[in-house]
Amino acid sequence: MRAILPGKPQARLQALCTVQWEGLRLIVYISGNGIVILSGPTDLVQTLYLEDCSALVAVDIDETTGKIAIASPTNVYVYRPYGKEEGLLKWSLQCVIPRQEHEPENLTLSWGTDEELLIGSTSLRLFQVATQESEVWRRRLPMPVKLAKFSQDASFIASTGSHDRLIKLWRRQSSGADDTRFDFTYLPHPTAVTAIHWRRHNTREQTSDHTLYSICGDRKIRVWAAMDPHGVHGLQIWAEIDMQASIQPRQLNSISQSSDRFGFIVDSQDFSRSTAAAIARVDKAESEEHHALQHLVEVTKSNPELCIVIDRHGHMSAWGLENVGKKGRKPTDVFNIAHVENFGIAFSGPESLETSNVQLLPFCREQSAAQLSLLVHHFDGRIEWLECKFEELFDPSPHQERISRRTLWTGHEGSIKKIVRSISGKVVLSRTNENEAVIWRQGHGESDLGLALSSTINSPEHIHRSWLLHNGHFVINLHHQSISLWAARSSSALRVSTHPFDLEGHLVCLVQLPEPSLDSNIIHVAAITTRGRGIVWSLSTPYGAHRKSQVQDPPSPSLEQFCTFDLKVQDDLVFMLPVDPAGSASWTSSSLDTFAQDIAISYSIEGKLRTWTAVIDVNRSAVEWLITSTVETGIKNPSLTSASSIRKAALVDTSRTGLTIWDMRNGQLEHDIHYNGLDLIGNLDWSSTPDNQSLLAIGFPHKVIILAQMRYDYLSVGPAWAPIREINTKDSTPHPIGDSVWLGSGNLLIGAGNQLFVYDKTIDSADYMVSDLAVPMHKHGPMNLFDLVTYLNGPLPLFHPQFLSQCILAGKLAKVQHIVIGLHKALRYFSEGDELDSFVSMAPGELVEESQPSLASKEPVFRAAGLSANDAEVDYGEVVPLLTEKLTRVSIPQLSSREQIHLVDMIECVSTVDKHQRSMDDNATRYLLFFRHHMIRKSQVPADKAGITFREIAWAYHSGSQDILVDLVSRQFQGRMLWENAKESGMFMWMSDLTALRAQFEIIARNEYTKTDEKNPIDCSLYYLALKKKNILIGLWRMAAWNREQTSTQRLLSNNFQEARWKTAALKNAYALLGKRRFEYAAAFFLLAGNLQDAVNVCLHQMRDLQLAVAVARVYEGDEGLVFRRLLEEKVLPQAALEGNRWLATWAFWMLGRRDMAVRALISPVHTLMDFAEAPTMQARSYLANDPALVVLYKELRGKSLQTLKGASRISPKEEWDFVIQNARLYDRMGCDLLALDLVRDWEFLKQPKEPSTEEDSVPDPRKMLRRRSSLVVDDLLSPKSPTGMRAGMGRPPPQKVFEEPEANSLLDNFGF
């Protein structure tokens, strides 16, 4: 559902028309240089713009063919309909009829029969437009006509000119393409004729009587009928109705009296059909008591015409016309039906004769025949669609409202350029290029989408910026060299004050400043230029700063300069604009700190985003500004930005096709997307749900895409933002979108051309965008936009697979099993449609208990989880098959089908880990769980070739149960592990025992050799040569008689490659293989020549396999080898810095023996720890670089050895505080609020020495740093550096020495005493 403001109608007599065409009610009216075609109050069919003219003058639609004729000052355009049968009704141009020379701009149009079109001006011209336009009749006139209308059967034409008291009646004598003739006679009136109306019949064949109604300046309606069809005059006067005498108000006071009268005719066919429908709607028993309805029944028996007269105060008089056109009219043929009050039409005040005019078009819709519909064309720029029930309309008893408004059509004449909303979002201001500004107010209630016109501003100067104050009662307009204050409390705003100014730079921002108090009636606004200079003005109004009520003894509104300021920015501001007040309607502040609300955002040429806040110092007449956040985006020359008050910012690149979304609080990238080059981003608008979930509307030329905030997902690497709705305006209007803005209720307002569209919050769950998000919709239907966003980014139920995964990473495996058992109990008697507790009867405090067993606790999991005695009797292994079987049959309301499948996988993985829990440490458990989960997902999605991440590799690398992990991984691949399987597991990255590493590598070599039936030695050459087992490779070649390369390869391998000539031969073969793109075999020949560096380079660059390069280097020369350390220092660490991969960086530093740096890499951005000149990529700025699992590894490693304590001691308390708070926010963005609470509740900061050492290599004292001291801290500092490490500054520690804590309490603590 949507509300429409299609544009301001022209103040012309033929600006509006309506017909019933093929069962469809069509309303067409002129607005500016466009034609608006509607089929209902909110059903916009099409908008046609004529770009070659500034304004249109007349429009008419043919009720037979549906063709539309449009008159401009230069031409007449005929449009024909198409696509109705397909349900896509549109109009396209058929022909153009040029205007005659020296013809005035005003034209009149009327459709006849057989696609005849009458054009009136200084002459009457009749055209046949069935296929091509052809003129069939013309008659010059002594003066231009104002109105010319065909009768229903086209036998007569009634025409009259401006201020003409005569109606010229043209009667058709003959018809045909070559012989069309009319003669004419006159219908005299005492004063100027103002309106004419031909009687309508059910069909055009009913031509027995022709009746014409005319209204002239003497306030009388005259009825002209063909009482003598064969007479000379054609029509004769039949009756008169005095509109002035028809309405006699009951009160005699002057307020309730008005001399203005308005009249319209309801044809007998509409009156009879509506009365019959009203009778059918009311019960028979009720109809007998309904006196007004019984009166209508009696009136309908004579099948009369209805003439309704109204005045400006809601008085109405209805007259019936019976036996119209018959000779010998009786006095009873014209009779009064009813005289009632409260006929509620909102007439405008008589400011001018032109704007106070009103045109009334009644009709009855086939869909609601019991109601009379009335189009009221106010010449001040409004069209009302009113509806009323017949039995209430003519009921003489008092009624509060006899008529109700279905919609109001109004708007702008020119194209909308900018829309500005108030802070509350209940009032908006739309502005055109012609400096026409309109203030709109939103209706009351959630269901009211309409906007009511409140006031208009016609500024003689160009409006550069606007700001709404006091709920739209005042407006500040910023011009190029002045500022003006407008009072918008009436229909036409009044300028209150204007102040010129002179500032250096171009104006870029107008913003309201936070006030120290809400009670003051003083408001401050600031204007800012690109040079960072600005002026603050103080505004005194009759209202409090945020109150709608006036203060007592209010002063007159005034505007005066308060102060000037300088932001003191080093670089010029490309743009600065106010933040969208999404999620906050407060605009007060008395303190200047980073916790204050942002009021503006700026960006520079280099792509630096800054958010600003300010505070007013009234005593010093000054304003202080503070930068609350700064983000280096790396996007040069951005074209557009927008920010919300909850510190989300969107930035568009210089091509207007790339969009990035930033979290200004943490300075991280949340979304990066590039759209089609044909779709240029035009505007950005922020909104939020009541619980502060963000929404972003991206405006393109003909569509708006709404992005919703998603939960962070570090395991599946899901997007942080996703499109949930696309609004396409191309079907409604060809004009591109000028601007869009969110209203306070969550509805979206879009301005395109001179039209405004209001879209509500209801979206269809069956839409492809919503279905792609795996929303837990088990039946499709409409849903609220806010409810969808709350699901996408709200707190997770405890049994959600992402929450369980994060619990496992945080060392809460026992709690996970407790949750699973609780879910099993909750689903035992669950059926679809029941509500399911998100906490599965588990108290939130249980998850954040201070005493939490480790993953590898030897205690029974049920006792550790704190289960009851009844729960303790339940075996987890027995629960798993029962629960998984239940989950395959029942849909959980909080989970989508995809998430439910993931939950089953997670439960099975936990069951697998539980079997090996007693023989593995915590990190091995974490690795095994997610490796098993990866393998299950791979079996379900075979196309997924991605292996495990460096997060899982880091867990396994720091595990003391690697031998068990190797065995379990080998079993996963049935003991036939190939290199692709080893790479998938990351095995050769995390194995620390070189002997076991080489043994496993030899197993890979054997399996690669035997993986095919032909057993090709080429497949295993790289592996055996890395193991330096050339003789085995020679033996394998000896058995490969089928290979045509056997003889030459066997002869080559038999040589001594310690000699220079054979090294050269091996290198030549390697380069030749590179040219043939046989990269793996080329790397093998580099190893044959003893050139490990080139072999590693081939694996890294040509094969793009970092794991293979690491494995070959480690197997060939060990972890202390020069090539391996160079690989880490020159390739791996720069790659980690470029990508922001902290898991890879901490692994590399630990491999290099720099455990202090490994700990620091978990907290600090990697590029800050190295001499890294290249700017980090967007990936490094992404939120994915800040995994909350990093805090778990940091907590584990920081007290593991003296080196790690040294690294932790180099981290300032503020850095550690920010790290913990940031990870708590990440948990919150993941929907794991309880884990965020657990983190901040139980985190222990390292004790900082009172006098920190200034020496870089000082040894920390663990007794003074650790609050809960472990009994063992490894001393790994006393180690000489290798020659390579001396050069690179990175040493490898010798065999570890153990530092024993001398305090006995630590030993007792370790054993639980």
Side-chain angles (χ1 to χ4, degrees):
M1 184 175 66
R2 65 181 183 183
I4 304 173
L5 293 167
K8 183 179 180 180
Q10 296 275 28
R12 295 179 181 272
L13 291 175
Q14 262 198 297
L16 171 68
C17 62
T18 177
V19 298
Q20 186 81 13
W21 174 63
E22 295 186 0
L24 184 67
R25 171 59 58 174
L26 293 176
I27 301 100
V28 184
Y29 78 89
I30 298 171
S31 178
N33 66 334
I35 292 294
V36 182
I37 308 171
L38 303 108
S39 61
T42 60
D43 301 325
L44 178 63
V45 180
Q46 191 178 6
T47 304
L48 300 171
Y49 286 98
L50 280 70
E51 300 296 341
D52 59 344
C53 59
S54 59
L56 303 177
V57 296
V59 64
D60 196 24
I61 183 168
D62 186 4
E63 65 180 352
T64 304
T65 63
K67 291 185 177 182
I68 299 175
I70 307 167
S72 75
T74 57
N75 298 306
V76 173
Y77 303 85
V78 178
Y79 284 81
R80 60 185 171 195
Y82 67 93
K84 187 175 186 298
E85 294 180 356
E86 295 80 7
L88 299 171
L89 179 61
K90 299 294 176 186
W91 277 260
S92 62
L93 182 65
Q94 176 186 322
C95 62
V96 179
I97 303 173
R99 183 176 63 90
Q100 290 181 304
E101 293 184 5
H102 310 296
E103 199 170 39
E105 292 186 356
N106 291 331
L107 300 177
T108 181
L109 303 172
S110 182
W111 286 97
T113 58
D114 301 326
E115 301 187 50
E116 291 178 335
L117 177 62
L118 178 67
I119 303 175
S121 182
T122 55
S123 63
L124 290 179
R125 294 186 294 162
L126 186 62
F127 288 85
Q128 176 60 244
V129 293
T131 54
Q132 294 294 326
E133 72 279 6
S134 61
E135 186 176 297
V136 296
W137 177 73
R138 176 189 299 201
R139 176 64 66 91
R140 290 195 59 82
L141 302 173
M143 61 181 296
V145 296
K146 176 177 66 174
L147 291 172
K149 290 187 177 181
F150 265 120
S151 62
Q152 188 173 9
D153 62 352
S155 298
F156 289 92
I157 299 173
S159 66
T160 185
S162 298
H163 311 291
D164 196 348
R165 68 180 188 85
L166 298 175
I167 293 179
K168 188 174 287 188
L169 186 66
W170 303 82
R171 182 163 56 179
R172 190 189 293 263
Q173 299 296 317
S174 64
S175 62
D178 300 325
D179 186 22
T180 299
R181 290 180 296 138
F182 288 84
D183 65 358
F184 66 90
T185 185
Y186 292 101
L187 304 181
H189 292 72
T191 57
V193 177
T194 58
I196 55 178
H197 170 76
W198 285 101
R199 182 183 182 184
R200 312 296 294 177
H201 299 277
N202 289 328
T203 62
R204 285 190 167 182
E205 286 72 22
Q206 293 178 334
T207 59
S208 59
D209 57 343
H210 297 90
T211 304
L212 177 68
Y213 300 89
S214 64
I215 302 176
C216 69
D218 63 351
R219 298 185 178 89
K220 289 185 178 181
I221 297 177
R222 288 173 173 81
V223 185
W224 304 84
M227 292 183 288
D228 184 8
H230 304 290
V232 177
H233 296 288
L235 299 181
Q236 296 83 32
I237 186 72
W238 185 81
E240 290 184 356
I241 297 176
D242 190 342
M243 295 193 293
Q244 187 70 33
S246 296
I247 296 179
Q248 298 296 332
R250 295 173 182 175
Q251 291 88 10
L252 296 179
N253 56 349
S254 59
I255 298 177
S256 64
Q257 297 183 11
S258 171
S259 61
D260 293 336
R261 297 291 186 267
F262 306 95
F264 60 92
I265 306 298
V266 179
D267 294 318
S268 60
Q269 57 175 354
D270 291 336
F271 179 53
S272 300
R273 186 169 64 245
S274 299
T275 304
I279 296 171
R281 189 180 64 243
V282 179
D283 295 338
K284 183 177 181 181
E286 184 181 350
S287 64
E288 293 178 354
E289 298 178 0
H290 204 305
H291 301 294
L293 187 58
Q294 291 297 321
H295 176 56
L296 281 180
V297 172
E298 293 299 324
V299 171
T300 309
K301 290 180 180 179
S302 58
N303 197 25
E305 307 283 319
L306 242 64
C307 176
I308 297 179
V309 182
I310 57 177
D311 69 358
R312 291 186 178 275
H313 297 293
H315 304 108
M316 183 201 78
S317 180
W319 295 82
L321 306 177
E322 195 175 287
N323 303 318
V324 177
K326 292 187 178 181
K327 293 182 180 181
R329 180 177 71 84
K330 295 180 293 185
T332 57
D333 286 345
V334 179
F335 58 94
N336 184 262
I337 297 176
H339 183 96
V340 299
E341 297 180 352
N342 297 325
F343 190 85
I345 296 181
F347 291 102
S348 59
E351 287 87 359
S352 68
L353 186 62
E354 181 180 355
T355 59
S356 63
N357 191 22
V358 172
Q359 195 176 23
L360 302 140
L361 277 72
F363 61 90
C364 290
R365 301 175 71 190
E366 291 186 358
Q367 297 90 333
S368 57
Q371 293 182 336
L372 172 69
S373 297
L374 183 63
L375 295 178
V376 185
H377 178 199
H378 301 268
F379 277 39
D380 60 357
R382 296 175 293 139
I383 295 177
E384 286 185 288
W385 181 319
L386 306 176
E387 285 190 352
C388 60
K389 297 179 181 179
F390 260 82
E391 65 271 21
E392 293 181 0
L393 180 64
F394 301 114
D395 188 355
S397 59
H399 281 268
Q400 192 67 27
E401 289 186 0
R402 299 179 184 273
I403 194 163
S404 61
R405 179 196 288 177
R406 288 293 307 277
T407 190
L408 175 69
W409 295 326
T410 185
H412 290 273
E413 291 188 25
S415 297
I416 295 169
K417 178 183 179 182
K418 184 66 178 176
I419 305 176
V420 180
R421 60 169 267 176
S422 65
I423 295 175
S424 65
K426 297 179 180 179
V427 182
V428 295
L429 179 146
S430 54
R431 193 176 71 237
T432 67
N433 290 319
E434 292 77 24
N435 302 315
E436 176 199 17
V438 178
I439 299 172
W440 309 90
R441 296 187 182 276
Q442 191 175 11
H444 300 289
E446 286 291 324
S447 60
D448 192 350
L449 295 179
L451 292 176
L453 191 150
S454 174
S455 184
T456 58
I457 298 174
N458 291 305
S459 173
E461 300 176 82
H462 174 72
I463 301 176
H464 193 58
R465 295 285 186 273
S466 299
W467 192 270
L468 292 166
L469 300 169
H470 291 316
N471 205 26
H473 291 296
F474 291 91
V475 180
I476 287 184
N477 287 329
L478 185 65
H479 313 286
H480 287 302
Q481 293 182 338
S482 65
I483 188 171
S484 60
L485 171 64
W486 297 73
R489 291 174 289 184
S490 60
S491 59
S492 182
L494 301 176
R495 188 199 296 255
V496 175
S497 177
T498 301
H499 283 270
F501 62 84
D502 185 17
L503 279 175
E504 181 184 1
H506 298 289
L507 290 169
V508 291
C509 184
L510 176 68
V511 62
Q512 180 181 343
L513 303 180
E515 299 297 334
S517 172
L518 287 175
D519 297 327
S520 172
N521 66 326
I522 304 295
I523 291 177
H524 297 84
V525 293
I528 308 168
T529 69
T530 53
R531 296 295 181 88
R533 311 289 198 276
I535 299 178
V536 177
W537 288 274
S538 63
L539 167 67
S540 175
T541 68
Y543 298 84
H546 290 271
R547 294 184 302 182
K548 297 181 181 178
S549 59
Q550 293 189 357
V551 298
Q552 293 182 353
D553 300 326
S556 300
S558 63
L559 182 70
E560 59 184 24
Q561 183 172 322
F562 179 73
C563 69
T564 60
F565 60 87
D566 187 354
L567 295 179
K568 298 180 181 179
V569 289
Q570 299 297 326
D571 46 359
D572 284 353
L573 305 176
V574 176
F575 217 81
M576 186 172 185
L577 69 161
V579 300
D580 288 333
S584 175
S586 174
W587 212 256
T588 60
S589 178
S590 58
S591 61
L592 192 67
D593 51 42
T594 56
F595 297 100
Q597 179 176 304
D598 296 338
I599 62 171
I601 184 172
S602 66
Y603 63 90
S604 65
I605 295 178
E606 299 300 319
K608 180 184 290 186
L609 287 176
R610 301 184 182 96
T611 54
W612 301 80
T613 189
V615 65
I616 292 290
D617 190 337
V618 180
N619 297 326
R620 295 193 300 113
S621 295
V623 59
E624 296 183 36
W625 291 84
L626 176 68
I627 298 175
T628 56
S629 62
T630 303
V631 176
E632 297 279 358
T633 65
I635 300 174
K636 308 293 183 182
N637 298 313
S639 59
L640 188 64
T641 190
S642 180
S644 70
S645 57
I646 50 179
R647 297 196 175 172
K648 299 290 182 183
L651 189 67
V652 179
D653 62 11
T654 186
S655 66
R656 285 187 176 266
T657 58
L659 172 73
T660 53
I661 300 177
W662 301 82
D663 182 350
M664 298 297 293
R665 195 183 303 276
N666 297 324
Q668 60 191 17
L669 175 67
E670 291 193 337
H671 194 58
D672 184 9
I673 188 172
H674 286 267
Y675 293 97
N676 191 315
L678 300 177
D679 291 333
L680 301 182
I681 300 174
N683 58 284
L684 304 167
D685 299 286
W686 287 97
S687 182
S688 70
T689 64
D691 54 348
N692 278 353
Q693 312 293 341
S694 295
L695 288 164
L696 176 64
I698 309 169
F700 296 92
H702 296 285
K703 65 181 180 182
V704 174
I705 295 178
I706 299 177
L707 298 183
Q709 201 172 359
M710 304 278 286
R711 297 185 196 95
Y712 287 169
D713 186 356
Y714 290 92
L715 300 178
S716 301
V717 196
W721 292 80
I724 59 173
R725 187 178 185 183
E726 180 175 319
I727 299 172
N728 199 316
T729 62
K730 206 164 189 177
D731 294 336
S732 302
T733 173
H735 208 287
I737 294 173
D739 199 6
S740 62
V741 72
W742 290 96
L743 301 177
S745 60
N747 302 325
L748 182 65
L749 176 65
I750 298 176
N754 63 339
Q755 299 175 329
L756 290 168
F757 304 89
V758 183
Y759 292 86
D760 67 356
K761 301 190 294 291
T762 303
I763 59 176
D764 188 1
S765 61
D767 186 84
Y768 75 97
M769 286 188 173
V770 179
S771 59
D772 287 347
L773 299 176
V775 179
M777 272 292 191
H778 304 294
K779 60 179 181 178
H780 292 298
M783 66 183 303
N784 190 291
L785 180 66
F786 286 174
D787 295 338
L788 174 62
V789 176
T790 299
Y791 164 74
L792 295 175
N793 195 37
L796 292 170
L798 296 188
F799 46 81
H800 194 283
Q802 172 156 296
F803 187 86
L804 298 180
S805 301
Q806 292 301 321
C807 283
I808 293 167
L809 290 176
K812 299 180 181 295
L813 182 62
K815 297 296 183 185
V816 169
Q817 293 173 319
H818 184 185
I819 293 170
V820 171
I821 293 175
L823 179 62
H824 168 67
K825 293 177 59 180
L827 293 179
R828 191 176 301 168
Y829 305 107
F830 178 84
S831 60
E832 292 194 21
D834 295 345
E835 292 186 2
L836 184 63
D837 182 15
S838 295
F839 288 92
V840 288
S841 302
M842 181 177 179
E846 294 183 41
L847 196 68
V848 293
E849 290 176 351
E850 186 172 359
S851 58
Q852 173 63 37
S854 67
L855 287 173
S857 172
K858 302 299 186 257
E859 289 293 322
V861 64
F862 312 109
R863 189 184 307 166
L867 297 182
S868 65
N870 294 332
D871 294 336
E873 298 175 359
V874 181
D875 183 18
Y876 184 78
E878 296 177 357
V879 165
V880 170
L882 297 175
L883 181 57
T884 54
E885 190 273 335
K886 183 78 172 180
L887 290 174
T888 58
R889 293 186 292 105
V890 177
S891 296
I892 296 181
Q894 290 96 327
L895 301 180
S896 66
S897 56
R898 189 186 309 170
E899 291 167 344
Q900 198 158 325
I901 294 173
H902 289 181
L903 176 61
V904 174
D905 297 342
M906 183 63 64
I907 293 171
E908 292 178 349
C909 291
V910 172
S911 177
T912 303
V913 170
D914 186 52
K915 298 175 183 177
H916 306 280
Q917 183 180 357
R918 296 179 180 274
S919 56
M920 294 188 302
D921 59 9
D922 293 359
N923 289 331
T925 303
R926 292 185 179 103
Y927 172 84
L928 182 60
L929 183 81
F930 290 102
F931 175 70
R932 285 285 304 155
H933 183 66
H934 163 72
M935 296 307 298
I936 292 176
R937 297 300 305 143
K938 182 185 175 184
S939 64
Q940 296 171 348
V941 188
D944 187 7
K945 300 295 183 182
I948 62 173
T949 66
F950 274 96
R951 175 181 55 244
E952 283 72 47
I953 290 174
W955 298 128
Y957 180 63
H958 291 288
S959 171
S961 311
Q962 291 183 357
D963 52 344
I964 300 175
L965 289 181
V966 170
D967 180 59
L968 292 174
V969 170
S970 299
R971 291 184 189 178
Q972 178 66 41
F973 300 107
Q974 293 81 40
R976 300 287 300 171
M977 187 185 296
L978 302 175
W979 170 250
E980 64 176 352
N981 306 132
K983 180 182 177 181
E984 199 173 355
S985 68
M987 177 181 295
F988 292 95
M989 302 289 286
W990 50 259
M991 289 182 67
S992 56
D993 186 347
L994 285 177
T995 302
L997 181 80
R998 292 188 173 103
Q1000 196 63 38
F1001 204 69
E1002 188 167 2
I1003 293 173
I1004 299 292
R1006 287 198 300 268
N1007 293 336
E1008 287 287 340
Y1009 174 69
T1010 58
K1011 69 180 179 181
T1012 60
D1013 295 337
E1014 62 185 10
K1015 297 181 180 179
N1016 194 343
I1018 295 176
D1019 295 337
C1020 63
S1021 297
L1022 176 62
Y1023 305 97
Y1024 278 118
L1025 291 176
L1027 290 164
K1028 300 179 181 178
K1029 294 186 177 182
K1030 186 182 69 171
N1031 293 332
I1032 295 178
L1033 188 59
I1034 293 174
L1036 297 178
W1037 273 108
R1038 191 176 297 120
M1039 294 183 290
W1042 56 271
N1043 196 317
R1044 63 181 182 178
E1045 298 178 3
Q1046 179 199 28
T1047 305
S1048 58
T1049 304
Q1050 194 173 354
R1051 188 185 309 117
L1052 179 63
L1053 291 176
S1054 62
N1055 295 298
N1056 182 8
F1057 287 91
Q1058 298 299 322
E1059 298 178 9
R1061 57 174 294 198
W1062 297 115
K1063 284 187 177 183
T1064 302
L1067 290 173
K1068 288 180 178 180
N1069 279 279
Y1071 288 119
L1073 290 168
L1074 283 177
K1076 296 179 180 180
R1077 304 188 65 81
R1078 297 174 65 182
F1079 299 130
E1080 183 178 327
Y1081 205 26
F1085 271 89
F1086 278 124
L1087 291 178
L1088 188 63
N1091 196 337
L1092 175 62
Q1093 184 65 63
D1094 286 342
V1096 168
N1097 288 341
V1098 170
C1099 296
L1100 193 63
H1101 300 299
Q1102 276 70 35
M1103 300 179 67
R1104 300 186 182 279
D1105 193 340
L1106 173 62
Q1107 289 198 39
L1108 184 59
V1110 169
V1112 168
R1114 294 185 71 190
V1115 169
Y1116 192 87
E1117 64 173 5
D1119 291 349
E1120 299 296 332
L1122 179 64
V1123 174
F1124 178 58
R1125 298 178 68 81
R1126 185 182 294 131
L1127 172 66
L1128 296 177
E1129 295 166 7
E1130 298 178 3
K1131 300 295 182 182
V1132 176
L1133 283 174
Q1135 177 183 340
L1138 198 65
E1139 299 174 355
N1141 193 334
R1142 299 186 185 184
W1143 297 103
L1144 179 60
T1146 188
W1147 171 84
F1149 278 127
W1150 200 281
M1151 272 287 188
L1152 289 167
R1154 292 299 307 270
R1155 299 184 177 182
D1156 55 337
M1157 299 295 288
V1159 171
R1160 293 177 62 186
L1162 295 172
I1163 289 185
S1164 304
V1166 182
H1167 68 273
T1168 62
L1169 304 177
M1170 306 165 53
D1171 294 331
F1172 190 68
E1174 191 173 352
T1177 62
M1178 283 292 183
Q1179 184 179 352
R1181 296 183 171 97
S1182 172
Y1183 74 95
L1184 294 171
N1186 301 312
D1187 193 332
L1190 290 166
V1191 75
V1192 179
L1193 186 59
Y1194 169 75
K1195 188 175 182 179
E1196 176 186 335
L1197 295 184
R1198 67 178 181 180
K1200 197 169 187 178
S1201 71
L1202 291 182
Q1203 263 208 70
T1204 58
L1205 276 175
K1206 176 184 175 183
S1209 67
R1210 297 289 183 265
I1211 300 170
S1212 67
K1214 183 181 184 304
E1215 285 181 295
E1216 189 175 1
W1217 168 272
D1218 292 341
F1219 177 64
V1220 174
I1221 297 301
Q1222 182 187 28
N1223 279 278
R1225 291 197 187 107
L1226 294 179
Y1227 275 132
D1228 181 65
R1229 280 286 276 110
M1230 295 174 70
C1232 305
D1233 306 63
L1234 290 176
L1235 293 180
L1237 175 62
D1238 180 64
L1239 176 64
V1240 298
R1241 178 181 182 271
D1242 295 336
W1243 184 262
E1244 294 183 0
F1245 291 91
L1246 292 177
K1247 292 181 178 179
Q1248 295 296 319
K1250 296 181 180 179
E1251 297 180 0
S1253 174
T1254 57
E1255 298 180 8
E1256 184 70 22
D1257 296 328
S1258 61
V1259 180
D1261 187 350
R1263 292 171 297 180
K1264 297 181 179 180
M1265 295 186 66
L1266 297 176
R1267 298 177 185 269
R1268 295 184 181 181
R1269 294 193 290 272
S1270 172
S1271 60
L1272 299 176
V1273 177
V1274 177
D1275 182 2
D1276 53 359
L1277 288 174
L1278 304 176
S1279 60
K1281 295 181 179 179
S1282 64
T1284 306
M1286 295 287 288
R1287 177 180 59 79
M1290 299 178 182
R1292 185 72 178 175
Q1296 297 176 346
K1297 296 176 64 178
V1298 175
F1299 175 84
E1300 296 188 4
E1301 178 67 43
E1303 295 186 10
N1305 291 337
S1306 300
L1307 296 174
L1308 295 175
D1309 288 343
N1310 193 48
F1311 288 98
F1313 295 106

